[in-house]
Amino acid sequence: MCSAGLFAAWVTFGVLTQKYEARADEFDLKQVSQMEAASMLYDRKGREFGKLFIQNRQPVSFDRLPPMLVKAVVAAEDNRFYDHDGVDYMGIFRAALTNYRKGRIAQGASTVTQQLARNSFELRERTYERKLVELYLAWRIEKNFSKKEIMEHYLNRVYFGSGFYGAEAASQGYFGKNAVDMTIGQCATLAGLLKSPQALSPFNNPNDSAESRNFVLGRMRELGFITRKQYEEELASPLGTVQRSNPFKVSYAIELIRQQVIKALGFERAMNGGYRIDTTLDSDMQQAADRATREVLLKIEKQPGYNHPTFEQYRAATKKVEDAINRGIMSVKMPEPKYLQGAALVVENTAGGILALTGGRDFKHSEYNRALQGKRPAGTAFTPFVFASAYESGIFPGEIVQDACIDNRYVMVGGETGLLGEWGVEVADNEYEGPMTTRDAFVKGKNAAAVRLGMQVGLDAVKKTAAAAGISSPLRDYSNAFLGSSELSLDELVLGYTVFPNVGQRPADLYIIQSIREPEGDIIFKAPRKRYRAIAPAAAYETHSLMTDFMERGVGSLAKKQFGLGAFPVAGKSGTAYGFTDTYFIGYTNTVTCGVWVGFDKPTKIYRGAFGKDLALPIWTQIMNAAAQSYPPREIERPSGLRDIEICRSSGLLATPRCSSKPADTASAERLPESNTYKELATEKQAPTIPCDIHGGGVRNYAREFDEADWPRAATAIDLTKIRPVAVTSPPLVGFNDIYRSVRPGAESENDEDIPVAKAVPVNIPPAADDAVVPASFPTEDVEIRRAEPVNSQAAPMEQPAIEAQPPAAIDFF
């Protein structure tokens, strides 16, 4: 009977063994080493700065795992790891006895190998059948992998709580360091999480996490893995965790990269493929841009009289919501931020790679990328394209343009009537200065002059220039487009500005991903690099020279005088939209172009007098100082075909010796530089050919240097000697000489004797004290002649009512 029972048990065991062994054989053991891995992001200098993932995991080799972590896991989870064949039979017996007594599965005896099998093949059911399959899988794993490989795969796959998979991700997430750099206590902390990762997370429950760590340290001491001194030191040390952040809400730059990688590879491959993604970003530049935006805007909000919601107020009011988001609770949402925002975009000029991208003050508060998605009026930051278009059409940079009031019906900025306001000049004491060169108009930010220049070249030409520079947004079909009334994105403006340091060329597009490599190292994506010729090199360089001048003589000089810009060559232009709703500063060196925007998400007046020079320029200055450290600036080379021509600032024509003296008018003299002449850039087509006609030296005045017989004369279309002159019948008003030679014009003609010449008849005017002087030829019939009364200054006022003059017609100021 006993023998029959044993035989039946043996047969049953054999059948079950065959059944579950067959099921275990169905699993592909290659999956043990193949796990979902985050795609890692690297900056242009090869530094890791982020990752893309569904499961936040970063597999590393065994030699990148600290030995103390292996010992801590052995002490906490499987102290017979190096002795068993994948199954701890004594442990199974103890667990089976405990579970029998409690009538349920209350205790496990899984080895590290069994846990690896469970995690690799998603064996999650809490049943005896699942346990048997797990046993057979563990035996298979032990036969096919070494203990070192098993531990490596285990520590790269297992969940450590708070969204971290694998020891490397957990170490970076909890302690802000690579796994190989963890201390003994930190290794014990991770090992202590394995029994209940989420409940024992130091982010969720630091006290229980510390107790679990201390238990593991005690086990390590018992097994002889650490000394008593090490044990006591680690017991006394804090957990050492970093501030928790949401790994899915990191930055505007990483979000842009994520979107582009998903577009290129698809969601699953991008998030789980473990790719290496090399980007154009510079981590140092990114930190500088974020820091500058944050610091300057905080200062603005602390200015007296600032009456908008502030960043600090918003952060205090939403602290609980932000903490929940950092804990990974994605169901809560931040309320709309209404504080002052800023954006910055830095690109390298040659290929258009993005070095830094700041889309707002805090990505967790708002994922709206103001550098790429926001379209706002560019304001006077758009005017370089107007001037570039004018110069490309052949207009000379020294040409005179009027700085005078202009009827707003031509422009319609802020209304349809009245005079165009000078809101973009960015100086408190601005006044109209009359005629000036286009260079001075640009440097001084003269709106009316810019509009007149735009009208001269034409809106279609300006649109063509802007489109060639990379501005794809449509421009308005009105003259206010010359002053930046059209809505553009910051990246469009920055791309457009690259035509100036590139002397007429620009990158095809801005980009942020350089290449994508598979885990094995094969390149599967590489960004194309194309450049376009946008505008003529001469026009680009002339406009560049204006922006260089703006940084020296215009309000851009505040960058060095007030905000600490380094001593290196730069060029740029500030911009302020009508109503002080949007402010800009966009500028560059030969290597880097940077654009900064400051404003609210909904168009709102920041405050009266909020100019780009005060809000955006300080941010730009800090960023460019940082850029100069890694990308040393140098002067931009002048293209061939441009030459220096000395001209008069008053006329825009060739300078004469008299042009150097200042005008007698004190007010005008104070506005002018020491010399009224300067050297202007010009192409052969643009260069003036006549001297100044204001200070003496024009064509008519220079004729005095010749003898009368040598005066140059223009050839006439007909022979004047054959034309009968008209005789004057009374003396000319300016004198009694025949200054027009009307009686004997061309008397020197050889045929003079054949032409009857009319002579003036002398007029005898008899004195008549009582009569007015009347020429003899004046008709006197029916005309009442009155005596001219002498003027008596003491006479009584006339009794007749004064004549009321009609009001003059409206004056067209344009």
Side-chain angles (χ1 to χ4, degrees), residues 32 51 76 187 235 252 304 308 361 398 495 499 549 576 673 718 727:
V32 173
K51 61 183 72 174
C187 290
L235 281 180
Y252 295 96
H308 297 286
R361 293 174 73 175
L495 176 61
V499 303
D549 225 5
T576 305
I718 59 175

Side-chain angles (χ1 to χ4, degrees), residues 161-229:
S162 299
F164 304 125
Y165 291 83
E168 182 69 15
S171 178
Q172 293 182 3
Y174 287 128
F175 309 119
K177 61 177 66 174
N178 294 328
V180 72
D181 299 322
M182 286 192 297
T183 65
I184 296 174
Q186 290 168 343
C187 290
T189 300
L190 291 193
L193 298 178
L194 295 172
K195 292 190 180 300
S196 183
Q198 205 65 18
L200 296 176
S201 165
F203 286 157
N204 299 335
N205 198 336
N207 292 331
D208 288 352
S209 182
E211 289 183 10
S212 177
R213 176 202 66 176
N214 295 343
F215 170 79
V216 175
L217 288 171
R219 290 287 296 148
M220 294 175 72
R221 174 72 185 93
E222 292 173 5
L223 295 173
F225 294 158
I226 58 176
T227 65
R228 176 175 292 277
K229 181 181 179 181

Side-chain angles (χ1 to χ4, degrees), residues 349-383:
N349 295 330
T350 304
I354 296 175
L355 299 175
L357 170 62
T358 300
R361 293 174 73 175
D362 196 313
F363 185 71
K364 291 189 292 293
H365 294 179
S366 168
E367 297 181 20
Y368 178 59
N369 193 328
R370 296 154 189 85
L372 306 181
Q373 296 173 295
K375 288 196 174 185
R376 305 296 288 273
T380 45
F382 180 78
T383 55

Side-chain angles (χ1 to χ4, degrees), residues 403-478:
D403 173 41
C405 57
I406 183 172
D407 193 329
N408 198 35
R409 286 177 294 179
Y410 288 102
V411 189
M412 292 184 290
V413 172
E416 299 180 0
T417 59
L419 301 178
L420 173 67
E422 288 292 306
W423 39 265
V425 182
E426 303 198 6
V427 292
D429 57 348
N430 174 63
E431 59 182 21
Y432 293 110
E433 300 182 34
M436 62 174 57
T437 64
T438 66
R439 176 177 294 276
D440 284 346
F442 181 92
V443 171
K444 297 179 179 181
K446 297 295 189 175
N447 288 343
V451 171
R452 287 186 171 93
L453 183 64
M455 288 181 170
Q456 185 176 348
V457 68
L459 185 56
D460 288 340
V462 173
K463 286 184 176 182
K464 181 180 179 181
T465 299
I471 294 177
S472 56
S473 295
L475 301 183
R476 294 187 175 184
D477 294 322
Y478 306 99

